[in-house]
Amino acid sequence: MENLDLKRLPKHVAIIMDGNGRWAQEQGQDRLFGHYHGVVSVRKVVEAAAEIGIEFLTLYAFSTENWDRPEAEVTGLMTLFVDTIAKEVPDLHKNNIKLSFIGNLDMLPTSAKQALADATAQTAQNTGLTLIIALSYSSRWELVEATKKIAQKVQNGQLSTDQITEATISENLTTSAFPDPELMIRTSGECRISNFLLYQLAYSELYFTDTRWPEFRKADLVKALLDYQSRERRFGKTSAQVQIDV
Ligand code: FPP
């Protein structure tokens, strides 16, 4: 944590955990082996984020597009999610971590839905790090859902079209209770956003690393945070304006 300025931390860090499959194949193992090792990284990074003082951490665990993977991988991942969540909840709770899930959860098997509901209820009163797991999530799906909700309010007469603002859209997203991420990290060398938080990432700093997710540890998170702190966030203003604002 050397040189990390604890007063200038992002409140919300979002991570696309990528590279489990490639990492496993590089070891001559099947893809699920990579996902199992990915859980170790999840544990380490959650622990590190809480210790550093990050308030919100969103992890992209499964996209709506991931449903099209081979059936054995999808079933294996679902089992892994349910087992991991059930196993980790007591420890998360002990560490004052609040769990939240975003995504099209209706698509999940009943056992998984129940495990997520239990984990959410058990940790609902916690006041430390909020850990948000994006499961069966895609940003375009979320934007379609938000549009339907807003259209319904207009149809019911609760809202007029000229009252619709950027805030109206934010308030109707699955992330309405959380601030937008200031930093988005993607592991494994791919430089894409892949249908993740498209609206919420409008002004986020993007950080890409070649490290595969199963090898991502606290030192890698700190490196990303240091990189974030070395950047000037201008939000469309000039550098001179930003320096006067500070
Ligand atoms: C992307 O790597 C990773 C996934 C689709 C699954 C991520 C899931 C975990 C790390 C387990 C997390 C568990 C909990 C409880 C949150 P990939 O398979 O796309 O890798 P590749 O690009 O190398 O093929």
Side-chain angles (χ1 to χ4, degrees), residues 195-206:
N195 217 347
F196 184 49
L197 304 175
L198 300 178
Y199 195 79
Q200 298 89 331
L201 294 180
Y203 283 106
S204 307
E205 297 297 327
L206 306 181

Side-chain angles (χ1 to χ4, degrees), residues 17-22 31 35 61 66 69 81 84 133 213:
M17 309 181 287
D18 196 14
N20 292 351
R22 272 166 291 161
R31 299 176 54 81
H35 298 316
N66 288 152
R69 290 195 173 190
F81 294 143
T84 306
I133 313 257
W213 178 252

